[in-house]
Amino acid sequence: MTRPRSAGPAVGDPLPTLTIPVTATLIAAGAIATRDFMPVHHDRDYAAEQGAPDIFMNILSDTGYCSRFLTDWAGPDAMVTRLAIRLGVPVFPGHTLVYTGEVAGCSVQGDEDVVEVAFRAATDLGDHVTGTATLTLPHHR
Amino acid sequence: MGAETLDDELQALVGQPVGRGGPSVAPDPVNQPMIRHWAAAFDDRNPVYVDPAAAASSRFGGIVAPPLMLQTWTMPTPTLAGIAGRGGSPVEQDGDTALSVLDRAGYVGTLATNSEFEIVRYLRLGDVVSATTVFASISEEKQTRMGRGRFVTWVTTYTVEPDEVVGRQTFRILKFEPGGAPS
């Protein structure tokens, strides 16, 4: 969904929920696409030796999904200028990871809208990621 | 006192580079195949990453790399043989690092807690990224839910030749003594 061009974002606007059914393939693909070859992100036997029940998602994948969550909503003309995340419970295959968020602030600077977003990504175990982000958008006309 | 010695040793690291040998230079310039691979892995359909026509008509004026792919460009090319025996470290490391100082002090556990990015500009095809990482702070010992530990924060500055800053990342980990959590 792309932000409607007829109106700028407003504080409290929800972002469309992003639901990710997490599989081992998805975790391994994200790790390798981000050049993170730590075996805990692709080798279940190694993860078990480290005391984890399975492979788990790497942090570069988290920031990747955060940026997708933001620009799926804001559209291709959005620029992500800041992202700050706090890491919570790990994500394993079989989990469903759900990103939710809302507009927390809006301002106009020059010919751009500056939008602050507060968001979280959670599974049944709790918050995996909580964070805030700043995007700029060419000011709607 | 030993504690003072350790604190002194750790505080001396603040402002010092993490790792040796100067900046990490991306082994490849920003390129379409790696971007396409990344976009597929995260099922990110943003056309400015892969569609030249759509990208040309966007504010960016051409293909750009996903902003949060910034860290990926300078990730080391791994030596896969023996990676498990190195605790997952992608490349051979010799000598002491600041983290081994903490390991020796008993803080052998590692938990990443925060990652923060400032994106100055989006990367374009052909950009060659370098990363320089320094210790920003090492906290005093704190009691955490994982046990006794110290928070270690480092800041990476990403540049494109010759010295244009394109982004910064602040990363924080907790180094902790496993098994020390309050019951």
Side-chain angles (χ1 to χ4, degrees):
Chain A
M1 181 176 128
T2 301
R3 188 180 66 97
R5 300 291 299 174
S6 55
V11 172
D13 281 357
L15 273 65
T17 298
L18 172 61
T19 301
I20 303 167
V22 178
T23 63
T25 296
L26 179 136
I27 290 172
I32 302 310
T34 55
R35 293 173 56 78
D36 183 345
F37 292 85
M38 294 280 281
V40 288
H41 305 308
H42 63 255
D43 183 336
R44 188 179 187 181
D45 293 340
Y46 181 88
E49 286 170 21
Q50 303 298 308
D54 206 327
I55 65 170
F56 53 93
M57 190 174 286
N58 69 325
I59 301 170
L60 283 81
S61 289
D62 290 324
T63 50
Y65 282 116
C66 289
S67 106
R68 177 186 155 194
F69 171 64
L70 294 166
T71 59
D72 275 1
W73 165 69
D77 274 323
M79 178 175 169
V80 180
T81 59
R82 189 186 62 84
L83 178 78
I85 61 169
R86 183 184 169 87
L87 299 157
V89 298
V91 170
F92 298 109
H95 286 178
T96 301
L97 183 60
V98 180
Y99 275 80
T100 54
E102 65 173 39
V103 175
C106 293
S107 61
V108 176
Q109 286 178 19
D111 55 359
E112 290 182 333
D113 288 324
V114 179
V115 182
E116 308 286 336
V117 174
F119 64 93
R120 61 186 352 104
T123 69
D124 288 347
L125 298 182
D127 284 334
H128 170 59
V129 160
T130 52
T132 59
T134 307
L135 302 101
T136 66
L137 293 149
H139 189 51
H140 62 282
R141 284 179 283 274
Chain B
M1 259 176 69
E4 280 178 17
T5 306
L6 178 62
D7 276 327
D8 290 346
E9 194 175 358
L10 295 176
Q11 289 317 308
L13 293 168
V14 173
Q16 297 298 307
V18 178
R20 269 175 297 278
S24 302
V25 180
D28 292 295
V30 172
N31 64 84
Q32 188 69 80
M34 284 175 61
I35 294 172
R36 197 183 313 283
H37 184 181
W38 188 99
F42 301 110
D43 195 19
D44 191 328
R45 313 285 180 87
N46 192 332
V48 298
Y49 306 147
V50 293
D51 180 337
S57 65
S58 76
R59 75 189 289 185
F60 301 107
I63 294 285
V64 285
L68 274 303
M69 202 178 165
L70 180 60
Q71 191 181 357
T72 293
W73 301 107
T74 54
M75 292 288 276
T77 297
T79 301
L80 293 182
I83 190 170
R86 297 194 302 272
S89 177
V91 292
E92 303 279 355
Q93 290 173 325
D94 44 55
D96 244 10
T97 68
L99 297 183
S100 45
V101 174
L102 288 163
D103 286 339
R104 277 202 304 278
Y107 309 108
V108 296
T110 302
L111 181 72
T113 64
N114 299 81
S115 185
E116 183 168 347
F117 284 88
E118 174 198 351
I119 305 295
V120 177
R121 76 153 166 90
Y122 278 22
L123 296 171
R124 297 183 286 264
L125 299 180
D127 283 337
V128 176
V129 184
S130 294
T132 303
T133 303
V134 300
F135 286 103
S137 66
I138 300 172
S139 79
E140 59 189 20
E141 183 178 285
K142 294 179 190 293
Q143 187 64 48
T144 75
R145 64 184 172 85
M146 303 300 294
R148 296 184 310 116
R150 291 173 185 260
F151 290 94
V152 181
T153 305
W154 56 78
V155 174
T156 303
T157 303
Y158 295 93
T159 58
V160 167
E161 293 168 353
D163 58 2
E164 178 193 8
V165 174
V166 292
R168 294 182 187 83
Q169 180 186 13
T170 303
F171 195 74
R172 183 170 301 123
I173 64 171
L174 172 67
K175 289 293 289 177
F176 63 96
E177 189 176 289
S183 54

